[in-house]
Amino acid sequence: INKKTKIIGLTGGQGSGKSTISKILKIILKERFGLNTTIFSIDDFYKTSQERKIVSKKISRLFLTRGVPGTHDTKLLYETLIKLKKIKFRKVSIPVFDKSEDDRAPKPKWQKITKKPDIVIFEGWCVGVEAQSKKDLSYPLNSLEKKKDKNKIWRTRVNHEIKKNYKKIFNLIDKYV
């Protein structure tokens, strides 16, 4: 029987324990239920430093700093989740982002998934985030937006990215925690 891979979206603020709980869940799912579990973070799908430089020049210099929607390689992330969910599984490579280098690690260092996972834990602070209404974009949320995004170009683009690219990624998630 070919079982369908389930994707669990695990969200929470920075430092809230997402990575730790993911590792604990992986042990429990394997030891207690015999489930093959893969874990990765949305952080692993940050655009390369060079890609962020290009976006920062084209749209807003605020996209140079990784973190917000619009700084991830959503095409690669979407394709990776689709590959992980396929019934006829083939080896999948998941990028690894090296925060000390502020860039994606070379492909030989990527996580290689050779066996079809039963469960994928996909974690990150913005996993499952929803776009804001136009009205909610009217006023700056903080001093950064007030000083560095006076025309709301950055925030509007982040919101657009959530509506367009992130929504289709988050629609692949089966359950949220």
Side-chain angles (χ1 to χ4, degrees):
I1 296 174
N2 281 324
K3 293 185 283 181
K4 189 177 175 193
T5 298
K6 297 290 185 196
I7 298 177
I8 307 300
L10 180 64
T11 189
Q14 292 176 311
S16 64
K18 296 178 299 295
S19 298
T20 303
I21 196 70
S22 294
K23 290 173 188 166
I24 293 167
L25 284 171
K26 182 175 182 171
I27 293 167
I28 293 168
L29 291 168
K30 180 176 178 34
E31 298 300 320
R32 178 72 173 99
F33 301 100
L35 296 171
N36 180 29
T37 303
T38 297
I39 304 167
F40 62 88
S41 172
I42 196 169
D43 293 1
D44 290 317
F45 287 85
Y46 283 129
K47 291 178 178 177
T48 65
S49 177
Q50 187 58 40
E51 290 167 333
R52 284 182 282 120
K53 281 178 188 167
I54 292 166
V55 174
S56 75
K57 286 177 184 169
K58 272 169 103 174
I59 300 166
S60 168
R61 63 185 181 177
L62 293 175
F63 282 112
L64 186 58
T65 304
R66 60 184 158 76
V68 298
T71 61
H72 302 95
D73 185 337
T74 52
K75 184 176 188 280
L76 179 60
L77 177 52
Y78 181 79
E79 289 169 356
T80 300
L81 288 171
I82 291 293
K83 287 177 188 175
L84 288 166
K85 284 183 87 106
K86 281 196 173 181
I87 298 292
K88 290 189 177 189
F89 184 79
R90 292 193 180 149
K91 185 174 97 172
V92 177
S93 292
I94 297 174
V96 172
F97 195 86
D98 183 344
K99 290 180 180 175
S100 69
E101 295 288 329
D102 193 33
D103 213 345
R104 195 175 293 156
K107 283 191 177 183
K109 292 186 177 185
W110 288 18
Q111 183 181 177
K112 285 157 190 62
I113 311 303
T114 56
K115 184 180 171 200
K116 181 175 178 53
D118 298 301
I119 305 285
V120 172
I121 300 174
F122 169 42
E123 58 102 343
W125 76 269
C126 67
V127 171
V129 72
E130 294 181 1
Q132 293 181 290
S133 70
K134 224 174 186 168
K135 184 186 87 162
D136 289 337
L137 296 173
S138 308
Y139 301 98
L141 285 179
N142 51 43
S143 61
L144 174 93
E145 289 182 9
K146 197 173 199 174
K147 293 175 188 168
K148 309 239 181 200
D149 191 36
K150 290 178 183 163
N151 297 325
K152 297 183 235 75
I153 292 167
W154 177 67
R155 189 152 168 226
T156 302
R157 181 56 179 248
V158 167
N159 206 52
H160 170 77
E161 289 289 327
I162 294 166
K163 275 185 203 172
K164 184 180 173 212
N165 296 316
Y166 290 76
K167 185 175 182 168
K168 75 178 192 175
I169 289 165
F170 301 151
N171 283 340
L172 296 174
I173 295 173
D174 298 290
K175 299 279 182 203
Y176 280 98
V177 178

